[in-house]
Amino acid sequence: MDFHVELRGRRDLAGQIYRGLRAAILDGRLRHGERLPPTRELALRLDVARNTVGVAYEWLTAEGLIAGRTRAGSFVQGEASRPRGRAGREAQVPLRARAFWRSLPDLPAPLAPAAYDFGVGSPDVSGFPFESWRRLVARQLRAATVSGGYVNAAGHLGLREAVARHVGVARGVRAEADDVLITNGAQQALDLVGRVLIEPGDCVAMEEPGYPPARQVFQSLGARVVPVPVDPEGLDVAALPDAARLVYVTPSHQFPLGMPMSPARRVALLEWAKRRDAVVIEDDYDSEFRFGGRPLETLHGMDRSGRVLYVGSFSKVMVPMLRLGFLVAPPSLQRELRWARRVMDWHSPVPEQAALARFIDSGLLARHIRKMRREYEARHERVAEGLARHCGDWLQAVPSVAGLHLCATFRRGGLALERETVARARTVGVGLITLSRYFAGPRARPGLVLGYGGIPAARIPEGLRRLGASLAHVGLTKD
C-alpha cells in the first residue's frame, strides 16, 4: 500500500489525515479496490486517537472516495481524477466571469487597525447587551421551538410584525406585517428590488456622491447607473434623467455628505416619480441616531401612490455580524419579491429572526438605541470641535445632525492633497476614508469622511490633532 500521512503539528488532526488519504487516492498511490488500514491500526501508527481516524474515514466516505464493507473494512472507491504535472495544468481551460465582475478591482487586503481609526460604517459594539441577546437566541434554539422545515420567504412572522411596529413608531412608516420582507441586511434588499424591477440596460439614478455597494448591485444586474448631483437640499430632482426607471436615495442623512433632503425636494421627487412611472428606493440607513431637531417625515410616509420602497437594517443599531435588514414594499410587488428571495437563499436564519422579534418587543432595542444615540452625539460633537480646532485651516465640515460619520471638504487643494493627507496620517496612526471614493463621475470633490462609531470618544481629540499636523505637513510640501 503506497501512501504516507505526515502530521504537521497536533492541530486539526482529522483534517490532516483526511487530506493525506484523499491526496493518495486522487493521485493514484491508493488504487481502486485497495483496503485501508483499520482505524485502530492507523491510529496506533500515527499516534492519534482512534476516533480521529474514524472522523477522517467518515469524511472520505461522504465524498464517495472510500466505502465500508461489513466485517471486511474500508476500501478505496474513487479513481484518480485530477490532471498531474504541468501538462495537466496547461490543458485546463480558463473560465471567464461576466465583464462586470472582471472590471472590479481586487478586494483590498485588510490593513492593520489604526490606533485612531475614523473608518466609516462601524458601530461601537462594546455597549451592546450581549448577555440579553445570548439568552434570547438560546431560548429560540431549544428543541421545542425549532421547526424542522423552511419558513415563509418573507421571513419570520413575529419579526415582520415587530419591524412594522418599530418603523411605525420610530419613523412614521405605515406598514403591516405583510408589507415587510426580512433580508440579510440592506444590501440584499437592494439586490432583491433590482432583480424584480430592473431589466438589463435600464437606467437607475443615484446620488453623486453616493453609496458604492448600491451602485455595484445595480450595475451587476445590467443597469446603466447615472450619477445625479446633490446640493445642500439633497438630490437635485431637476437633474434626474427622463429615462430613469428607479431612483436610489438616502434622504434622511445623505450618504456620505450628511445633509437631509429638504421637504420641497421630497415632494418634487415623489411628483417626478409619479409622472415618470418610476420607483424610489429610500435607504434609511442610520436615521435612529439623530441628534437635533425634529426628524423629517420619510418619503415612504409622504408617498400616496405606492412608489417608494423603504429599506432598513439592524447592522448599525446592533452589530454588523447579525446581517438582518428589512424591506417595506407595496402589495403589488410582494409576490415577486418573495419569489426572488426564495430563489436566492429562501430565508434568513430563523432563531436569530425570532430572537430579534423578542429583542424589539421587549423594549431592549429602543433602550439600546437611546443609550447609543447619547454616546454617538457626544462623539459627533468631539469630531466637530476637533476639526474646527486642529484642521479648520484646511477642512470645512459639512453640517450634519445624524449618523455615525461627519464629512469635511478641503478648502483648497485637489485630489493629490487628499491622497497624500491620508497617507501621511496613516504613518502617525490615523485611519481615514477619502470623500472622492464615493464619486462615480469625473468631478470628485476632495475631502474626508470621518466615522466615529468605531473609535472611543477619548481617542478622538488626539486623532484629530494628529490629522491637523498631517495636513500642515502635507500642505507645506504642496505650497
Side-chain angles (χ1 to χ4, degrees), residues 183-196:
T183 62
N184 288 332
Q187 195 71 6
Q188 188 182 54
L190 301 180
D191 189 58
L192 288 170
V193 174
R195 287 171 183 262
V196 168

Side-chain angles (χ1 to χ4, degrees), residues 32 37 48 54 84 125 184 250 388 396 443 458:
H32 183 76
V48 299
R84 283 178 280 173
V125 301
N184 288 332
T250 52
Q396 173 65 53
R443 298 184 179 180

